[in-house]
Amino acid sequence: MENQPATSNAFFKIACYFEGSLAVLALALGWLADLDPFASLDFSESALGIGLLATGPLLIMFFAMQQLSYPPLQKIRDLLLETLGARLAYRHWTDLLILAAIAGFAEEALFRGFLQPWLESGWGESVGLWVSNLLFALVHAVTPLYAVLAMLMGLYMGTMLDYGGERNLLVPMVIHAVYDFVAFVVILRDYRNRSR
């Protein structure tokens, strides 16, 4: 019989290392392209507040979709319960917070810190926004609908990168991390309730 806590520990470590490696990839690609992916990262209270407030619409959408019985959404919920729920079942909420923070930091460093500005420099803001988020959708394409939702969320975070006319990578990092944390908590709660 499989040792579930050990499997959960291994998954958590691998997930953290994988997500963290995306920040390293952003730095490596930035070095090759002579573009600092963290150039627009400014730790300010206003950016933190904007990021927290801007997470609200995504969370409203997330909780609304939890109530819908639309089959493609149910397929996503079931897939997340079977994959993430089972692998996170033995994790504490602080572990979920750590994983969400790493994912928010690293994925945004790659997609909004490097890829979007790099594409913008060659093809303009619109192309940079759309193409970087098309790629964001493709790497999240566990189902076709999930890819579409990831694209929409990526466009939202890419737009929030320039909220108020001043580019700050902290805003989408906060949005991404908070959204992921809440989603992880809900997935874990639902998995534990289903397993009772």
Side-chain angles (χ1 to χ4, degrees):
M1 187 170 166
E2 185 178 22
N3 184 341
Q4 291 177 331
T7 301
S8 181
N9 287 339
F11 172 80
F12 177 73
K13 288 178 185 175
I14 290 168
C16 287
Y17 290 139
F18 174 77
E19 290 292 345
S21 73
L22 297 179
V24 175
L25 178 60
L27 285 169
L29 291 172
W31 178 78
L32 289 171
D34 195 27
L35 189 154
D36 179 4
F38 299 106
S40 65
L41 180 58
D42 179 27
F43 290 94
S44 68
E45 290 177 6
S46 63
L48 178 63
I50 290 165
L52 290 170
L53 287 173
T55 310
L58 294 180
L59 292 177
I60 290 168
M61 182 184 74
F62 173 78
F63 284 112
M65 288 190 304
Q66 292 293 308
Q67 304 305 313
L68 298 175
S69 59
Y70 181 56
L73 285 175
Q74 186 59 47
K75 182 178 179 181
I76 291 171
R77 285 192 294 269
D78 290 343
L79 182 65
L80 292 175
L81 285 176
E82 292 167 16
T83 55
L84 285 179
R87 289 177 175 90
L88 296 174
Y90 296 93
R91 307 311 311 172
H92 190 266
W93 70 266
T94 54
D95 296 328
L96 304 181
L97 182 61
I98 290 166
L99 181 56
I102 294 170
F105 176 81
E107 289 187 31
E108 293 308 307
L110 180 58
F111 289 97
R112 255 66 66 192
F114 169 72
L115 195 56
Q116 185 174 332
W118 179 68
L119 290 166
E120 287 173 346
S121 69
W123 292 291
E125 287 183 17
S126 293
V127 172
L129 178 65
W130 282 93
V131 174
S132 63
N133 288 297
L134 176 61
L135 294 171
F136 184 73
L138 290 174
V139 299
H140 288 86
V142 293
T143 72
L145 179 59
Y146 197 90
V148 170
L149 294 172
M151 174 85 168
L152 294 173
M153 290 177 67
L155 288 168
Y156 179 74
M157 291 185 290
T159 301
M160 292 307 296
L161 177 65
D162 294 317
Y163 180 82
E166 188 172 318
R167 181 161 284 198
N168 192 338
L169 187 58
L170 184 63
V171 174
M173 283 180 170
V174 170
I175 295 169
H176 195 143
V178 173
Y179 179 88
D180 278 4
F181 174 66
V182 172
F184 290 160
V185 169
V186 170
I187 291 166
L188 185 55
R189 180 205 64 194
D190 291 349
Y191 179 81
R192 287 176 175 168
N193 288 340
R194 181 188 273 191
S195 300
R196 287 181 184 169

